[in-house]
Every structure is written in structure tokens, then in C-alpha cells.
Amino acid sequence: NNVSVIEGDAVRYVVPVGAQPCALAADAASGRVFAANEGDKTISVIEKLAVADTWTLPDTPAALAVVGGQLWVGMRDVGSIRILSAANGSRVGEITLPDALTVLAIEQHAATKRVYVATYNHTWLVGADSLQVMADASLNSYRTLGVAANGDAVYTDDFNGQEMRPYLAVLDPVTLAVRERIPAPADPATLIADPQSGRLYVLSAYSNLVAMYDGATHQQEATIPVGNAPRYAALDAQAGRLYVANQEDDSIT
């Protein structure tokens, strides 16, 4: 029930938060970090290495994103996104995704004000200003979701049941139509697009590796071994570092 703060190559601080933190989002404008706690249905607001405030939610959170100065909270089992003021946690709005259950991931392309949402077997496009669903795609997908740095493509996982093999689906950013399918490593858990190089990094929770793809050609360039069951990652593009959280190792690569 805490958040570890890594500085350099070591954990420098540990911040106690709520019960069972499941997602993090950072607001560069305010310097705040938000932790969603599924165990007690709260948001912990971290400032200067301490919890400055705690916001109570009506349902269990599962995903977080800071979008245009607001905190988007994806809910578990209710198929909705609750939008809060990032300043004080007051309710700004809510988005209901038809026939959806748990919101698994939220990604945005700030320049186009498009927000992409992953739920079980579904990918959604939501307008950041209108808060309306603009497009949706039904695929055999889970929680892998990423946006190209230039906003020209959206990526999600798509498992082919006949071939029994995983793919990455390359989607049109406006219509969410499938443009291409790329062979993917087993159990793709997270995808991150590097805004500087354009490369795609895909975590394989089953194979314990990160697969690296050329963002333009979609050709796989390398595989990098990491720890057991890598499921989450964060990219420091300026420093050229990718941090990978290995769920069954209690470690960061």
C-alpha cells in the first residue's frame, strides 16, 4: 500500500497511500502524482513526497490519466470514466461506455485532443472537450493501448483465436478501423511509443521481455530480456530510459 520513488538507480523514498494502489498518473503542470487505490476506492494526491489529500470515489478505480488539467478515472465493473478536477477532486463530468465493463487503460494524444480507452475486447475514441464517444472498435483485445507520437496511429492487442497467436492491431486514429496487424510477443501487456525516436516498446508478460519495433515500418528490431511478468512501464524520453515493472519479481528493470 505504497508508492516507491526511484531516483537514479535506487528507490529513494516510499510514500504510504491507500489500499491496493493499482494505477498512477502524473500532472507535470502542478507537480502532483495521483494514485488510484482499488482497495478502498480512493485517490491519493501526492505532493512533495507526501499524501496531501485523499479523494473518495463512488466505485472502484482501475485506470488513470491526466487530460487537459483534469483527472480521468476509469472505473472497474461499471464501464464509465469519472472526470475530476485535478486541483480539488470535484466532479467535472462522466463518460459512459455502452456495454463496457472495466476501463483497463486510458491514453491520449494531447495535440488532437483525442482520448483512447481500452475495455475488454473494445477500443474507444473519446473527445477530450466534448466528452462524447466518437468511434469504437471491437477486437479480441485486453489492455494493451498506445498512441503514435505524431497521432497518426493507435495500437492495441488483437489475439487470433484460429491461429492461436497474438498480434498488434494498428488502428486509424479517427475511425479506429484496422490498418494492419503486426505479429506480437506472447501476452502483450503494455505498449509505449517513444515521442523522440518513434519506436514502439511492447512488454511481453509471458516471455519476460520487451520487444522493440520501428515506428514507421513496424518491423521488430530487438527483444530485451527483463524480469518476471513485466506488466507496466514508464518512459523518460529525454533521458532515453524505459522503466519496466516486473510484477512477479518485485523489481524494476
Side-chain angles (χ1 to χ4, degrees):
N1 300 331
N2 60 50
V3 173
S4 294
V5 181
I6 296 172
E7 193 173 64
D9 291 324
V11 174
R12 304 296 184 188
Y13 311 96
V14 175
V15 181
V17 291
Q20 299 174 20
C22 62
L24 290 171
D27 181 10
S30 66
R32 285 177 154 187
V33 173
F34 302 95
N37 307 303
E38 63 180 355
D40 56 13
K41 300 181 182 180
T42 63
I43 301 289
S44 296
V45 183
I46 301 173
E47 288 184 358
K48 298 179 180 178
L49 304 176
V51 173
D53 204 353
T54 300
W55 302 335
T56 301
L57 300 168
D59 298 295
T60 304
L64 283 182
V66 176
V67 178
Q70 298 172 337
L71 185 65
W72 288 37
V73 186
M75 296 300 183
R76 184 179 300 281
D77 299 328
V78 294
S80 68
I81 299 171
R82 178 167 285 247
I83 301 174
L84 308 177
S85 164
N88 56 28
S90 60
R91 183 181 179 277
V92 175
E94 189 148 353
I95 302 166
T96 299
L97 304 174
D99 301 321
L101 290 175
T102 298
V103 175
L104 300 166
I106 305 171
E107 296 286 343
Q108 66 171 314
H109 189 253
T112 56
K113 294 188 176 181
R114 298 181 187 131
V115 182
Y116 301 93
V117 181
T119 63
Y120 292 109
N121 298 325
H122 229 86
T123 304
W124 309 81
L125 167 59
V126 178
D129 290 336
S130 68
L131 306 185
Q132 298 296 313
V133 175
M134 302 167 66
D136 65 276
S138 180
L139 298 167
N140 195 9
S141 59
Y142 182 44
R143 63 175 302 273
T144 304
L145 184 65
V147 186
N150 61 8
D152 188 51
V154 178
Y155 303 92
T156 186
D157 57 312
D158 186 22
F159 187 79
N160 187 311
Q162 292 183 332
E163 298 179 10
M164 294 302 292
R165 65 178 299 178
Y167 286 87
L168 295 177
V170 185
L171 309 181
D172 182 275
V174 176
T175 66
L176 297 185
V178 177
R179 289 177 176 168
E180 182 185 356
R181 284 180 171 84
I182 308 166
D187 192 9
T190 295
L191 184 147
I192 290 183
D194 188 332
Q196 294 189 354
S197 69
R199 285 193 180 100
L200 306 176
Y201 298 95
V202 181
L203 275 59
S204 171
Y206 178 81
S207 302
N208 303 329
L209 57 81
V210 177
M212 187 172 70
Y213 295 81
D214 182 288
T217 66
H218 298 148
Q219 295 298 307
Q220 185 172 301
E221 295 183 328
T223 57
I224 305 163
V226 290
N228 289 332
R231 289 204 172 274
Y232 300 93
L235 176 68
D236 183 346
Q238 290 185 337
R241 283 194 142 191
L242 180 71
Y243 295 88
V244 178
N246 307 303
Q247 193 171 53
E248 295 179 8
D249 259 359
D250 298 341
S251 70
I252 300 288
T253 300

